[in-house]
Amino acid sequence: MSKLFSKENKEVFANPLNLNHPILVQVLGICSALAVTSQLKPAIVMGLAVTVITAFANVIISLIRNTIPTRIRIVVQLVVVAALVTIVSQVLKAFAYDVSVQLSVYVGLIITNCILMGRLEAFAMINKPWPSFLDGVSNGIGYAMILVIVGGVRELFGRGSLMGFQLIPQAVYDAGYINNGMMTMPAMALILLGCVIWVHRAYFTKD
């Protein structure tokens, strides 16, 4: 048990959440981060989907890494990811159809997510299954955190709600408050993401 949670494994899990964050530091996977954050619910589901797929894809590639011919390793990685994406997509359609419709093609496009392919190539191909699993989970959580922050802010100020529940009282609207329509536009997601990156680098990144 101590080996499972050794200092090295703790660092593997912690780095993608701060010092080596996939979005804030490496600036990877921002396309989907901008596309699915108009509301909080699809942002959460997308974050969970990427976390699950990244974790299990890392484990599978790590288990078979010594049997994969070097020349076709990218093809093998894509096949594994495509299979997992298909499974996740079908699960969403079966149990969360409305969210699946909101996410549209973006679930399928997880296959091309830079974070996912980057971790398979840079980590899972050269590490054992357990560290690879931790790396996948941590990178997925780091990605999901940004989606939740941006999605929550955009929905709250753009629609006055969170998870579909109205949070801003009607009395506030009666007093003259108007939802910020800019928050529902893709450009605002880019601005908010830029602000989050700025705050992170200003306070947590050492030169």
Side-chain angles (χ1 to χ4, degrees), residues 5 16 20 33-34 53 66 71 73 77 101 109 115 119 126 134 138 149 153 160 164 171-172 188 199 206:
F5 299 100
N20 198 30
L34 301 179
I53 293 170
N66 294 325
R71 289 183 296 178
R73 69 187 188 282
Q77 292 169 13
V101 171
L109 289 176
I115 298 171
R119 299 326 297 165
I126 57 176
L134 292 178
S138 185
I149 292 171
V153 172
V172 177
M188 201 62 205
V199 170
K206 296 180 179 179

Side-chain angles (χ1 to χ4, degrees), residues 73-93:
R73 69 187 188 282
I74 301 298
V75 176
V76 174
Q77 292 169 13
L78 285 172
V79 170
V80 170
V81 173
L84 291 171
V85 167
T86 301
I87 293 171
V88 169
S89 178
Q90 294 303 313
V91 170
L92 287 177
K93 289 179 179 178

Side-chain angles (χ1 to χ4, degrees), residues 9-192:
N9 287 339
K10 289 179 180 178
E11 289 180 357
V12 166
F13 185 82
N15 282 341
L17 297 177
N18 188 10
L19 299 179
N20 198 30
H21 195 283
I23 294 181
L24 302 181
V25 177
Q26 301 180 60
V27 196
L28 298 175
I30 63 172
C31 295
S32 55
L34 301 179
V36 301
T37 54
S38 61
Q39 296 184 55
L40 182 57
K41 189 174 182 179
I44 292 174
V45 173
M46 185 67 170
L48 289 174
V50 170
T51 301
V52 170
I53 293 170
T54 306
F56 284 98
N58 267 14
V59 170
I60 294 171
I61 293 299
S62 178
L63 287 170
I64 64 175
R65 69 188 187 281
N66 294 325
T67 64
I68 302 175
T70 302
R71 289 183 296 178
I72 63 168
R73 69 187 188 282
I74 301 298
V75 176
V76 174
Q77 292 169 13
L78 285 172
V79 170
V80 170
V81 173
L84 291 171
V85 167
T86 301
I87 293 171
V88 169
S89 178
Q90 294 303 313
V91 170
L92 287 177
K93 289 179 179 178
F95 297 101
Y97 182 76
D98 291 342
V99 178
S100 177
V101 171
Q102 284 182 287
L103 291 175
S104 182
V105 299
Y106 295 107
V107 173
L109 289 176
I110 292 175
I111 296 172
T112 61
N113 193 302
C114 301
I115 298 171
L116 183 58
M117 297 306 298
R119 299 326 297 165
L120 293 177
E121 182 70 10
F123 198 91
M125 285 293 294
I126 57 176
N127 287 279
K128 294 181 179 180
W130 176 245
S132 296
F133 177 77
L134 292 178
D135 179 79
V137 170
S138 185
N139 275 276
I141 292 174
Y143 171 84
M145 284 168 53
I146 303 305
L147 264 64
V148 168
I149 292 171
V150 176
V153 172
R154 291 182 68 191
E155 183 177 357
L156 178 61
F157 292 102
R159 303 172 188 269
S161 62
L162 281 178
M163 298 289 287
F165 296 99
Q166 196 67 31
L167 292 186
I168 299 179
Q170 184 59 42
V172 177
Y173 290 103
D174 293 339
Y177 177 80
I178 301 175
N179 289 330
N180 188 342
M182 277 287 293
M183 286 291 179
T184 62
M185 300 175 66
M188 201 62 205
L190 183 61
I191 294 172
L192 287 173

